[in-house]
Amino acid sequence: QTREGKLQVELARTAGVEVVEVHTQLRQKYDPRTMIGRGKLDDILLTLGRHELDLLILDPSLSPAQARVLSELTPVRIVDRTMLILDIFAQRAQTREGKLQVELAQLKYTLPRLIGRNSFMSRLMGGGTGGRGPGETKLETDRRRVRERIDRLDKQIDQIASQRAIQRQKRKDRRIPVVSIVGYTNAGKSTLLHALTGADVLMEDKLFATLDPRTRRVRYPDEEEIIFTDTVGFIEDLPPDLVRAFRATLEELEQADLLLHLVDGSDPGNDFKRLQVEAILDEMHLAHIPRFTVYNKSDRMPVLPAAETRDLYVSAVSPPTLVPLVDRILTFFKKKRPRHDPKRTRLETKRTRRPPAKAAADGAVLE
């Protein structure tokens, strides 16, 4: 399988789909009507009939016209890449904010595909994978009702964004530095947040195990306080509607004083994923924020790079490996503090009496 094919299979399994067979096609350009071409479609139809399957997942995402044509040519429900990711997000959303954001993204993606009560909509977004969230009855309503719902959701999410802005301003007024953990999905961000702060977060070896952001404030010795946050994991070709819907969540990154770019060091394809995340950060205009690249899962790496590298290698499940990371974070903020700041003076005088290696173990979670 290609890298894209493996990712799509992993997404499908994360959504709870049993993958029976994978078809790959190399084309110079996509077929404008069916994306995959009639010959490949005939092969897929034979596979669907032979195994008596009831779901066809296509990558990449379909245009409304392609989805409509394929729904007329196939006897099963169709889910494309965007719908599959939205389905995973719908399963993962736990908070009211997360559920609103997923529903908004689903409705905006559905609106141009909403053509009435016909086989297209029932096959495309019927119950099960790809149809969670707003629900089948909502997706079968007319365009006017869908637009009204989108308007209401936009207003509610705007309120959430305003509330988050107030919270960020309070942090800024208190001059508490913020460290945001970013990275490709399944890099171990939630596990690292738990290791650094003791936060009670979901930790699973699955794509998009965490959807709702978590924020925890930790006080280290010498009155040094730091707020750690994590957010939804990145992935290549993340649907634009999803990025827009989660703007209230992603705006948290804009206020970060430091980004920890977490990379799965045990993943053979981590260079590609690291570059993907860096490109997304650039697109979000976050390249100006200082950034540490941290390679996680060092316990699964056969060989660690030379010690002189600027990158950090940790295992979020092994607290001793986090000591250099915490010490570098504390040093970073100490250097940023004005020289006349009394907190900096206390930190410099007291640090000489405390071994840096104790930094990771000395933090106290405040919230």
PDB file of all heavy atoms in Angstrom, residues 300-325:
ATOM      1  N   ARG A 300      10.867   3.420  22.061  1.00  0.00           N
ATOM      2  CA  ARG A 300      10.631   2.524  20.929  1.00  0.00           C
ATOM      3  C   ARG A 300      11.633   2.732  19.799  1.00  0.00           C
ATOM      4  O   ARG A 300      11.539   2.075  18.763  1.00  0.00           O
ATOM      5  CB  ARG A 300       9.215   2.735  20.377  1.00  0.00           C
ATOM      6  CG  ARG A 300       8.110   2.505  21.389  1.00  0.00           C
ATOM      7  CD  ARG A 300       6.757   2.671  20.727  1.00  0.00           C
ATOM      8  NE  ARG A 300       5.661   2.632  21.672  1.00  0.00           N
ATOM      9  CZ  ARG A 300       4.375   2.801  21.344  1.00  0.00           C
ATOM     10  NH1 ARG A 300       4.059   3.021  20.077  1.00  0.00           N
ATOM     11  NH2 ARG A 300       3.439   2.769  22.259  1.00  0.00           N
ATOM     12  N   MET A 301      12.561   3.660  19.995  1.00  0.00           N
ATOM     13  CA  MET A 301      13.559   3.941  18.963  1.00  0.00           C
ATOM     14  C   MET A 301      14.787   3.060  19.182  1.00  0.00           C
ATOM     15  O   MET A 301      15.322   3.015  20.291  1.00  0.00           O
ATOM     16  CB  MET A 301      13.958   5.414  18.996  1.00  0.00           C
ATOM     17  CG  MET A 301      12.808   6.365  18.712  1.00  0.00           C
ATOM     18  SD  MET A 301      13.273   8.105  18.906  1.00  0.00           S
ATOM     19  CE  MET A 301      14.538   8.271  17.646  1.00  0.00           C
ATOM     20  N   PRO A 302      15.244   2.346  18.153  1.00  0.00           N
ATOM     21  CA  PRO A 302      16.402   1.464  18.320  1.00  0.00           C
ATOM     22  C   PRO A 302      17.689   2.208  18.650  1.00  0.00           C
ATOM     23  O   PRO A 302      18.513   1.740  19.424  1.00  0.00           O
ATOM     24  CB  PRO A 302      16.502   0.741  16.967  1.00  0.00           C
ATOM     25  CG  PRO A 302      15.789   1.635  16.001  1.00  0.00           C
ATOM     26  CD  PRO A 302      14.708   2.301  16.784  1.00  0.00           C
ATOM     27  N   VAL A 303      17.865   3.397  18.050  1.00  0.00           N
ATOM     28  CA  VAL A 303      19.078   4.182  18.275  1.00  0.00           C
ATOM     29  C   VAL A 303      18.688   5.647  18.414  1.00  0.00           C
ATOM     30  O   VAL A 303      17.891   6.169  17.636  1.00  0.00           O
ATOM     31  CB  VAL A 303      20.078   4.030  17.099  1.00  0.00           C
ATOM     32  CG1 VAL A 303      21.316   4.877  17.358  1.00  0.00           C
ATOM     33  CG2 VAL A 303      20.464   2.567  16.915  1.00  0.00           C
ATOM     34  N   LEU A 304      19.255   6.325  19.412  1.00  0.00           N
ATOM     35  CA  LEU A 304      19.026   7.751  19.598  1.00  0.00           C
ATOM     36  C   LEU A 304      20.124   8.542  18.910  1.00  0.00           C
ATOM     37  O   LEU A 304      21.285   8.121  18.900  1.00  0.00           O
ATOM     38  CB  LEU A 304      18.976   8.102  21.082  1.00  0.00           C
ATOM     39  CG  LEU A 304      17.804   7.534  21.883  1.00  0.00           C
ATOM     40  CD1 LEU A 304      17.903   7.966  23.346  1.00  0.00           C
ATOM     41  CD2 LEU A 304      16.470   7.985  21.296  1.00  0.00           C
ATOM     42  N   PRO A 305      19.817   9.702  18.336  1.00  0.00           N
ATOM     43  CA  PRO A 305      20.836  10.532  17.683  1.00  0.00           C
ATOM     44  C   PRO A 305      21.897  11.004  18.667  1.00  0.00           C
ATOM     45  O   PRO A 305      21.754  10.872  19.886  1.00  0.00           O
ATOM     46  CB  PRO A 305      20.028  11.706  17.122  1.00  0.00           C
ATOM     47  CG  PRO A 305      18.633  11.206  17.044  1.00  0.00           C
ATOM     48  CD  PRO A 305      18.483  10.259  18.187  1.00  0.00           C
ATOM     49  N   ALA A 306      22.937  11.598  18.111  1.00  0.00           N
ATOM     50  CA  ALA A 306      24.034  12.103  18.942  1.00  0.00           C
ATOM     51  C   ALA A 306      23.522  13.154  19.919  1.00  0.00           C
ATOM     52  O   ALA A 306      22.558  13.871  19.657  1.00  0.00           O
ATOM     53  CB  ALA A 306      25.133  12.692  18.058  1.00  0.00           C
ATOM     54  N   ALA A 307      24.184  13.258  21.050  1.00  0.00           N
ATOM     55  CA  ALA A 307      23.730  14.136  22.128  1.00  0.00           C
ATOM     56  C   ALA A 307      23.776  15.607  21.752  1.00  0.00           C
ATOM     57  O   ALA A 307      23.071  16.414  22.340  1.00  0.00           O
ATOM     58  CB  ALA A 307      24.576  13.890  23.380  1.00  0.00           C
ATOM     59  N   GLU A 308      24.600  15.973  20.753  1.00  0.00           N
ATOM     60  CA  GLU A 308      24.754  17.397  20.445  1.00  0.00           C
ATOM     61  C   GLU A 308      23.580  17.969  19.655  1.00  0.00           C
ATOM     62  O   GLU A 308      23.537  19.168  19.395  1.00  0.00           O
ATOM     63  CB  GLU A 308      26.051  17.635  19.659  1.00  0.00           C
ATOM     64  CG  GLU A 308      26.134  16.912  18.320  1.00  0.00           C
ATOM     65  CD  GLU A 308      26.833  15.567  18.462  1.00  0.00           C
ATOM     66  OE1 GLU A 308      26.960  15.089  19.607  1.00  0.00           O
ATOM     67  OE2 GLU A 308      27.245  15.003  17.435  1.00  0.00           O
ATOM     68  N   THR A 309      22.628  17.143  19.226  1.00  0.00           N
ATOM     69  CA  THR A 309      21.483  17.658  18.488  1.00  0.00           C
ATOM     70  C   THR A 309      20.659  18.607  19.355  1.00  0.00           C
ATOM     71  O   THR A 309      20.562  18.439  20.563  1.00  0.00           O
ATOM     72  CB  THR A 309      20.588  16.509  17.995  1.00  0.00           C
ATOM     73  OG1 THR A 309      19.461  17.062  17.313  1.00  0.00           O
ATOM     74  CG2 THR A 309      20.088  15.672  19.153  1.00  0.00           C
ATOM     75  N   ARG A 310      20.069  19.616  18.712  1.00  0.00           N
ATOM     76  CA  ARG A 310      19.241  20.585  19.432  1.00  0.00           C
ATOM     77  C   ARG A 310      17.861  20.017  19.753  1.00  0.00           C
ATOM     78  O   ARG A 310      17.179  20.515  20.647  1.00  0.00           O
ATOM     79  CB  ARG A 310      19.083  21.854  18.597  1.00  0.00           C
ATOM     80  CG  ARG A 310      20.316  22.713  18.530  1.00  0.00           C
ATOM     81  CD  ARG A 310      20.584  23.398  19.859  1.00  0.00           C
ATOM     82  NE  ARG A 310      19.474  24.254  20.281  1.00  0.00           N
ATOM     83  CZ  ARG A 310      19.347  24.748  21.502  1.00  0.00           C
ATOM     84  NH1 ARG A 310      20.220  24.430  22.432  1.00  0.00           N
ATOM     85  NH2 ARG A 310      18.326  25.532  21.801  1.00  0.00           N
ATOM     86  N   ASP A 311      17.440  19.002  19.038  1.00  0.00           N
ATOM     87  CA  ASP A 311      16.141  18.402  19.290  1.00  0.00           C
ATOM     88  C   ASP A 311      16.177  17.585  20.577  1.00  0.00           C
ATOM     89  O   ASP A 311      17.237  17.113  21.013  1.00  0.00           O
ATOM     90  CB  ASP A 311      15.723  17.514  18.122  1.00  0.00           C
ATOM     91  CG  ASP A 311      15.562  18.305  16.825  1.00  0.00           C
ATOM     92  OD1 ASP A 311      15.177  19.490  16.912  1.00  0.00           O
ATOM     93  OD2 ASP A 311      15.843  17.745  15.754  1.00  0.00           O
ATOM     94  N   LEU A 312      15.014  17.411  21.160  1.00  0.00           N
ATOM     95  CA  LEU A 312      14.895  16.662  22.406  1.00  0.00           C
ATOM     96  C   LEU A 312      14.253  15.306  22.129  1.00  0.00           C
ATOM     97  O   LEU A 312      13.345  15.200  21.297  1.00  0.00           O
ATOM     98  CB  LEU A 312      14.053  17.444  23.415  1.00  0.00           C
ATOM     99  CG  LEU A 312      14.699  18.712  23.978  1.00  0.00           C
ATOM    100  CD1 LEU A 312      13.643  19.629  24.570  1.00  0.00           C
ATOM    101  CD2 LEU A 312      15.738  18.343  25.028  1.00  0.00           C
ATOM    102  N   TYR A 313      14.702  14.302  22.847  1.00  0.00           N
ATOM    103  CA  TYR A 313      14.159  12.956  22.701  1.00  0.00           C
ATOM    104  C   TYR A 313      13.638  12.503  24.053  1.00  0.00           C
ATOM    105  O   TYR A 313      14.390  12.448  25.036  1.00  0.00           O
ATOM    106  CB  TYR A 313      15.229  11.998  22.167  1.00  0.00           C
ATOM    107  CG  TYR A 313      15.590  12.284  20.731  1.00  0.00           C
ATOM    108  CD1 TYR A 313      16.484  13.306  20.412  1.00  0.00           C
ATOM    109  CD2 TYR A 313      14.993  11.584  19.686  1.00  0.00           C
ATOM    110  CE1 TYR A 313      16.778  13.617  19.099  1.00  0.00           C
ATOM    111  CE2 TYR A 313      15.296  11.880  18.363  1.00  0.00           C
ATOM    112  CZ  TYR A 313      16.184  12.897  18.076  1.00  0.00           C
ATOM    113  OH  TYR A 313      16.467  13.205  16.772  1.00  0.00           O
ATOM    114  N   VAL A 314      12.333  12.211  24.094  1.00  0.00           N
ATOM    115  CA  VAL A 314      11.696  11.858  25.358  1.00  0.00           C
ATOM    116  C   VAL A 314      10.800  10.650  25.162  1.00  0.00           C
ATOM    117  O   VAL A 314      10.487  10.258  24.030  1.00  0.00           O
ATOM    118  CB  VAL A 314      10.849  13.037  25.898  1.00  0.00           C
ATOM    119  CG1 VAL A 314      11.685  14.306  26.022  1.00  0.00           C
ATOM    120  CG2 VAL A 314       9.617  13.280  25.029  1.00  0.00           C
ATOM    121  N   SER A 315      10.372  10.100  26.274  1.00  0.00           N
ATOM    122  CA  SER A 315       9.304   9.102  26.292  1.00  0.00           C
ATOM    123  C   SER A 315       8.286   9.594  27.301  1.00  0.00           C
ATOM    124  O   SER A 315       8.580   9.678  28.499  1.00  0.00           O
ATOM    125  CB  SER A 315       9.829   7.719  26.693  1.00  0.00           C
ATOM    126  OG  SER A 315       8.736   6.824  26.877  1.00  0.00           O
ATOM    127  N   ALA A 316       7.101   9.933  26.828  1.00  0.00           N
ATOM    128  CA  ALA A 316       6.083  10.515  27.708  1.00  0.00           C
ATOM    129  C   ALA A 316       5.658   9.552  28.806  1.00  0.00           C
ATOM    130  O   ALA A 316       5.059   9.983  29.795  1.00  0.00           O
ATOM    131  CB  ALA A 316       4.876  10.945  26.887  1.00  0.00           C
ATOM    132  N   VAL A 317       5.966   8.267  28.660  1.00  0.00           N
ATOM    133  CA  VAL A 317       5.616   7.299  29.696  1.00  0.00           C
ATOM    134  C   VAL A 317       6.778   7.053  30.654  1.00  0.00           C
ATOM    135  O   VAL A 317       6.676   6.220  31.544  1.00  0.00           O
ATOM    136  CB  VAL A 317       5.165   5.959  29.064  1.00  0.00           C
ATOM    137  CG1 VAL A 317       3.910   6.166  28.221  1.00  0.00           C
ATOM    138  CG2 VAL A 317       6.271   5.343  28.215  1.00  0.00           C
ATOM    139  N   SER A 318       7.880   7.779  30.466  1.00  0.00           N
ATOM    140  CA  SER A 318       9.055   7.646  31.326  1.00  0.00           C
ATOM    141  C   SER A 318       9.444   9.027  31.856  1.00  0.00           C
ATOM    142  O   SER A 318      10.181   9.760  31.185  1.00  0.00           O
ATOM    143  CB  SER A 318      10.222   7.022  30.545  1.00  0.00           C
ATOM    144  OG  SER A 318      11.389   6.943  31.354  1.00  0.00           O
ATOM    145  N   PRO A 319       8.956   9.412  33.038  1.00  0.00           N
ATOM    146  CA  PRO A 319       9.199  10.760  33.581  1.00  0.00           C
ATOM    147  C   PRO A 319      10.661  11.203  33.588  1.00  0.00           C
ATOM    148  O   PRO A 319      10.930  12.378  33.297  1.00  0.00           O
ATOM    149  CB  PRO A 319       8.625  10.671  35.001  1.00  0.00           C
ATOM    150  CG  PRO A 319       7.540   9.653  34.889  1.00  0.00           C
ATOM    151  CD  PRO A 319       8.068   8.623  33.925  1.00  0.00           C
ATOM    152  N   PRO A 320      11.649  10.338  33.900  1.00  0.00           N
ATOM    153  CA  PRO A 320      13.032  10.824  33.910  1.00  0.00           C
ATOM    154  C   PRO A 320      13.490  11.417  32.583  1.00  0.00           C
ATOM    155  O   PRO A 320      14.318  12.330  32.561  1.00  0.00           O
ATOM    156  CB  PRO A 320      13.837   9.562  34.263  1.00  0.00           C
ATOM    157  CG  PRO A 320      12.884   8.718  35.044  1.00  0.00           C
ATOM    158  CD  PRO A 320      11.555   8.945  34.391  1.00  0.00           C
ATOM    159  N   THR A 321      12.935  10.931  31.466  1.00  0.00           N
ATOM    160  CA  THR A 321      13.351  11.465  30.165  1.00  0.00           C
ATOM    161  C   THR A 321      12.806  12.864  29.917  1.00  0.00           C
ATOM    162  O   THR A 321      13.255  13.544  28.984  1.00  0.00           O
ATOM    163  CB  THR A 321      12.894  10.540  29.023  1.00  0.00           C
ATOM    164  OG1 THR A 321      11.450  10.585  28.918  1.00  0.00           O
ATOM    165  CG2 THR A 321      13.335   9.107  29.256  1.00  0.00           C
ATOM    166  N   LEU A 322      11.843  13.292  30.727  1.00  0.00           N
ATOM    167  CA  LEU A 322      11.238  14.606  30.544  1.00  0.00           C
ATOM    168  C   LEU A 322      12.014  15.712  31.236  1.00  0.00           C
ATOM    169  O   LEU A 322      11.742  16.896  31.001  1.00  0.00           O
ATOM    170  CB  LEU A 322       9.800  14.600  31.068  1.00  0.00           C
ATOM    171  CG  LEU A 322       8.860  13.560  30.454  1.00  0.00           C
ATOM    172  CD1 LEU A 322       7.483  13.662  31.101  1.00  0.00           C
ATOM    173  CD2 LEU A 322       8.744  13.752  28.944  1.00  0.00           C
ATOM    174  N   VAL A 323      12.964  15.357  32.084  1.00  0.00           N
ATOM    175  CA  VAL A 323      13.706  16.364  32.849  1.00  0.00           C
ATOM    176  C   VAL A 323      14.395  17.381  31.934  1.00  0.00           C
ATOM    177  O   VAL A 323      14.270  18.592  32.149  1.00  0.00           O
ATOM    178  CB  VAL A 323      14.716  15.695  33.794  1.00  0.00           C
ATOM    179  CG1 VAL A 323      15.603  16.732  34.474  1.00  0.00           C
ATOM    180  CG2 VAL A 323      13.987  14.864  34.834  1.00  0.00           C
ATOM    181  N   PRO A 324      15.149  16.958  30.906  1.00  0.00           N
ATOM    182  CA  PRO A 324      15.783  17.954  30.029  1.00  0.00           C
ATOM    183  C   PRO A 324      14.766  18.862  29.344  1.00  0.00           C
ATOM    184  O   PRO A 324      15.036  20.056  29.134  1.00  0.00           O
ATOM    185  CB  PRO A 324      16.552  17.102  29.012  1.00  0.00           C
ATOM    186  CG  PRO A 324      16.766  15.792  29.702  1.00  0.00           C
ATOM    187  CD  PRO A 324      15.540  15.582  30.524  1.00  0.00           C
ATOM    188  N   LEU A 325      13.599  18.325  29.003  1.00  0.00           N
ATOM    189  CA  LEU A 325      12.565  19.129  28.353  1.00  0.00           C
ATOM    190  C   LEU A 325      12.053  20.210  29.300  1.00  0.00           C
ATOM    191  O   LEU A 325      11.981  21.391  28.938  1.00  0.00           O
ATOM    192  CB  LEU A 325      11.412  18.233  27.893  1.00  0.00           C
ATOM    193  CG  LEU A 325      10.155  18.956  27.394  1.00  0.00           C
ATOM    194  CD1 LEU A 325      10.473  19.830  26.189  1.00  0.00           C
ATOM    195  CD2 LEU A 325       9.055  17.948  27.056  1.00  0.00           C
TER     196      LEU A 325
END
